[in-house]
Amino acid sequence: MSLLERLNQDMKKAMKNKERDNLSVIRMVKSSLQNEGYKLGRQELTDDEALTVLSRELKQRKDSYQEFKNAGRDDLADKLVSEIALIETYMPRQLSDEELKSIVIQTISDVNASSKADMGKVMSALMPKVKGKADGGRVNAIVQQHLS
């Protein structure tokens, strides 16, 4: 089942169960996917493109959550926690630290990186492998740890 079909099913279920908050988030995500399709000039997005849109939506909410927390707006931050949790259900399973470390080590050896000067080379080879499965900040920290 495609992501759009799954979103449509979940949207119908949220409507039936009168889950307004979930319905709102699902509609926003669905709208973002459709807007990306319009930008690219086609109806259907590939799984990779849909994953990019989902990752962007998730990152925006995580950034907003942090800003609200810093500003003392716990009411808005709490709302974002539920939105983040809902969007994460559509994301692929996240890599554990051990899995991520092994991929990082393998990639470092593949590109023959030896210092932090090779960071860009490592990250450009690594990010397509872990796209949607690990947060970029987490990946960056592990790469820096292994290149120092």
Side-chain angles (χ1 to χ4, degrees):
M1 171 183 335
S2 77
L3 178 61
L4 208 51
E5 291 169 346
R6 190 170 158 212
L7 283 167
N8 282 330
Q9 271 187 348
D10 290 349
M11 190 168 72
K12 288 175 190 173
K13 190 170 30 168
M15 283 179 186
K16 285 179 185 176
N17 296 335
K18 298 190 187 328
E19 299 168 340
R20 287 186 173 176
D21 293 338
N22 288 356
L23 181 60
S24 172
V25 174
I26 292 169
R27 282 181 173 157
M28 279 190 274
V29 169
K30 190 175 170 202
S31 175
S32 293
L33 289 167
Q34 288 172 334
N35 286 339
E36 187 70 18
Y38 295 141
K39 270 193 235 174
L40 297 173
R42 52 182 196 266
Q43 285 286 32
E44 291 291 318
L45 294 176
T46 65
D47 290 340
D48 197 39
E49 292 165 339
L51 186 59
T52 301
V53 173
L54 273 179
S55 297
R56 185 173 51 228
E57 289 291 318
L58 190 59
K59 184 176 181 340
Q60 285 174 349
R61 282 169 177 78
K62 285 182 177 180
D63 291 346
S64 296
Y65 171 79
Q66 198 57 48
E67 291 297 319
F68 289 146
K69 271 300 204 195
N70 292 342
R73 293 296 310 262
D74 292 334
D75 56 328
L76 295 174
D78 293 341
K79 183 175 183 263
L80 282 175
V81 168
S82 62
E83 289 184 17
I84 290 168
L86 181 62
I87 294 172
E88 284 177 340
T89 62
Y90 298 104
M91 298 290 289
R93 182 187 70 79
Q94 296 293 295
L95 294 172
S96 70
D97 285 341
E98 305 311 315
E99 293 170 319
L100 189 54
K101 283 179 186 177
S102 69
I103 294 171
V104 166
I105 291 168
Q106 180 63 43
T107 304
I108 288 173
S109 68
D110 288 349
V111 298
N112 296 322
S114 57
S115 68
K116 287 194 179 192
D118 299 322
M119 182 86 171
K121 204 168 32 169
V122 173
M123 290 298 286
S124 64
L126 181 62
M127 288 311 288
K129 296 179 186 177
V130 299
K131 186 174 189 168
K133 299 176 189 168
D135 179 60
R138 201 170 126 220
V139 173
N140 191 325
I142 291 174
V143 170
Q144 284 185 5
Q145 180 182 11
H146 287 284
L147 284 180
S148 57

